[in-house]
Amino acid sequence: MVLKFIKSVLIILGLVFGSVIVSVISPHLGFYLGLALLIVPLIALIKPLPQIGLGHRGFSFSVAFFVGIMATMIGYSTMQSVDLEAMSALKAADPEAYLAELEKKDRDIWLTELEEIDPERHAVAIEEERVRLAAQEARRSEEEAERAAQKVIDDAKQAEIVRIAEEKEAAKRAETRAADIKSYLEMMDREMADLKKFNVSEYTSDVDTINSAVVLQNLWVMLYEEGKQYRDDPAVKAKHDAYRRQIVSTQKRMLPALRDAYGPAMRQLLWEADGYARTIGSGYKTVEFVAASFARNANIKETHTEIRDMLVRLRFTRAQYKWFKQASEYSYYTMDAPSDQELVIWEGNGNFRVVK
């Protein structure tokens, strides 16, 4: 173990001193030798390389990397020192050649040395430098102006592209809206023609036909509500108002007639159960049911819950439940139903939304 350690130390010292000697003899060769020792460990990361006698591959390459750094620094420092000595000797022997060589390497140091060696030439060089910098600044300003002008042009082109796209989109929307308005006007024409021909007596024969009339009335109002989005169009606004008046007029005729027919229609359904129904009062707003089962409140509640939606759609405001016709005491429910002239959309379970 001791012998291996001594061997390792000797190899390391040999590499260090060898690189120093090479750098002293030939700084450039020493510098490149150091670079080679730096590259070897990097190659070893990709392709395994043989040991260099230090007993461990990783340690061997770490040493090579360390020695490579030292050799590179020594070679570079020696190169700089030799170069500085050469330039000092050249300055003493041939100032013009020294200045010419220095100008190739570092213009700032060249200007400093020129001021010492040839003040007049230095003044000319400073003026030339000022002119060069001014010209460079002018070119930079010109390039910036060109870029700014080009940006303005590019922005204008992009804005024009966006404007054209927006105009096309607006035209497309306008075309679609015009088609929608045309279609809506045609639908209103058909519905208004049907409303003129509407005969409520065709919907009073039984409960099912009465219900179909209520559904139809809901469709009229839904079509009316759809037209609100087009009221900015004069043709739609005028026809839309006329359509509303026609719906209201039809409802005022239709709903009382449907309520009046609802009593006889329910009598047909209740006949087998020995039941009875009628509609009474102004506008037939009250409906009365008679059945022996209504002696129990639970039966009344269950029945009313089942038919309440239909009653409110027909706009009854009161429902009475008797267990026999002549009963002086009976149960009843009042209902918050819209008036016959109100336009509403039904949402289920007796709930509705008024359409203004």
Side-chain angles (χ1 to χ4, degrees):
M1 181 65 70
V2 175
L3 290 176
K4 287 185 177 180
F5 176 75
I6 294 173
K7 181 182 177 182
S8 300
V9 172
L10 289 175
I11 291 174
I12 294 171
L13 291 175
L15 288 172
V16 173
F17 284 115
S19 63
V20 171
I21 292 171
V22 171
S23 296
V24 171
I25 295 173
S26 176
H28 288 81
L29 182 59
F31 176 74
Y32 291 122
L33 175 62
L35 288 179
L37 290 173
L38 285 174
I39 293 172
V40 167
L42 299 178
I43 297 175
L45 294 175
I46 304 172
K47 182 178 180 181
L49 298 176
Q51 299 180 11
I52 58 175
L54 299 181
H56 188 275
R57 187 183 303 276
F59 181 63
S60 299
F61 294 135
S62 297
V63 169
F65 190 74
F66 171 72
V67 174
I69 291 176
M70 289 189 61
T72 303
M73 293 177 62
I74 292 172
Y76 181 76
S77 178
T78 305
M79 285 169 56
Q80 291 292 100
S81 178
V82 170
D83 188 55
L84 184 60
E85 290 179 2
M87 291 296 289
S88 297
L90 184 62
K91 179 180 179 181
D94 189 348
E96 286 298 324
Y98 165 73
L99 289 173
E101 187 67 23
L102 186 60
E103 187 176 10
K104 297 176 186 178
K105 295 183 177 182
D106 192 321
R107 187 170 178 81
D108 291 335
I109 297 177
W110 172 74
L111 285 172
T112 302
E113 292 292 290
L114 183 63
E115 185 178 16
E116 178 185 342
I117 296 172
D118 191 344
E120 292 184 1
R121 185 179 168 190
H122 174 265
V124 173
I126 290 296
E127 179 60 23
E128 290 176 350
E129 183 69 11
R130 187 190 65 77
V131 172
R132 184 184 69 81
L133 292 175
Q136 186 178 26
E137 182 63 27
R139 283 195 301 274
R140 186 183 299 110
S141 298
E142 184 178 347
E143 290 172 356
E144 290 179 354
E146 289 177 355
R147 285 194 295 270
Q150 187 61 45
K151 186 177 183 305
V152 171
I153 294 173
D154 292 343
D155 290 347
K157 288 180 179 179
Q158 185 61 35
E160 181 65 12
I161 292 172
V162 171
R163 184 188 64 78
I164 292 173
E166 289 177 346
E167 286 182 354
K168 288 182 178 179
E169 184 63 27
K172 185 178 179 181
R173 288 196 301 269
E175 183 179 348
T176 301
R177 183 174 174 80
D180 291 344
I181 289 175
K182 182 175 181 294
S183 175
Y184 182 73
L185 287 169
E186 291 172 352
M187 283 192 294
M188 275 200 299
D189 285 337
R190 289 194 296 270
E191 290 300 320
M192 291 174 74
D194 289 342
L195 281 172
K196 287 180 181 178
K197 296 183 294 184
F198 181 77
N199 186 357
V200 68
S201 62
E202 296 176 1
Y203 297 88
T204 58
S205 59
D206 53 41
V207 172
D208 288 337
T209 56
I210 291 172
N211 184 59
S212 65
V214 173
V215 172
L216 185 61
Q217 180 267 340
N218 200 48
L219 294 175
W220 298 338
V221 181
M222 290 174 67
L223 179 61
Y224 172 78
E225 185 179 51
E226 182 184 344
K228 285 188 171 184
Q229 59 185 311
Y230 306 125
R231 281 185 64 86
D232 57 327
D233 183 88
V236 171
K237 185 177 184 304
K239 192 163 291 188
H240 199 236
D241 291 339
Y243 182 47
R244 180 187 179 93
R245 290 193 296 270
Q246 198 166 358
I247 295 174
V248 172
S249 176
T250 303
Q251 283 186 178
K252 290 167 71 174
R253 288 188 297 106
M254 177 184 76
L255 290 169
L258 294 178
R259 288 194 295 269
D260 184 32
Y262 186 71
M266 287 299 294
R267 282 200 294 273
Q268 294 176 22
L269 294 179
L270 296 172
W271 179 79
E272 291 185 2
D274 296 322
Y276 178 81
R278 63 172 181 159
T279 50
I280 56 179
S282 176
Y284 307 103
K285 289 294 190 78
T286 298
V287 60
E288 182 178 272
F289 301 98
V290 180
S293 61
F294 294 151
R296 296 184 69 245
N297 291 332
N299 292 335
I300 295 174
K301 181 178 180 182
E302 182 180 356
T303 300
H304 185 75
T305 301
E306 289 178 358
I307 66 173
R308 180 181 180 278
D309 183 62
M310 183 62 178
L311 298 180
V312 178
R313 283 174 179 257
L314 287 170
R315 311 197 185 190
F316 285 108
T317 57
R318 181 183 174 99
Q320 300 176 169
Y321 297 88
K322 295 182 177 182
W323 70 284
F324 67 96
K325 286 184 181 180
Q326 291 78 22
S328 58
E329 293 184 1
Y330 53 87
S331 297
Y332 67 89
Y333 290 88
T334 58
M335 293 165 288
D336 182 19
S339 67
D340 289 351
Q341 64 184 16
E342 282 188 291
L343 301 191
V344 301
I345 291 179
W346 298 100
E347 299 176 335
N349 198 29
N351 297 317
F352 58 88
R353 174 166 50 85
V354 177
V355 178
K356 299 296 186 181

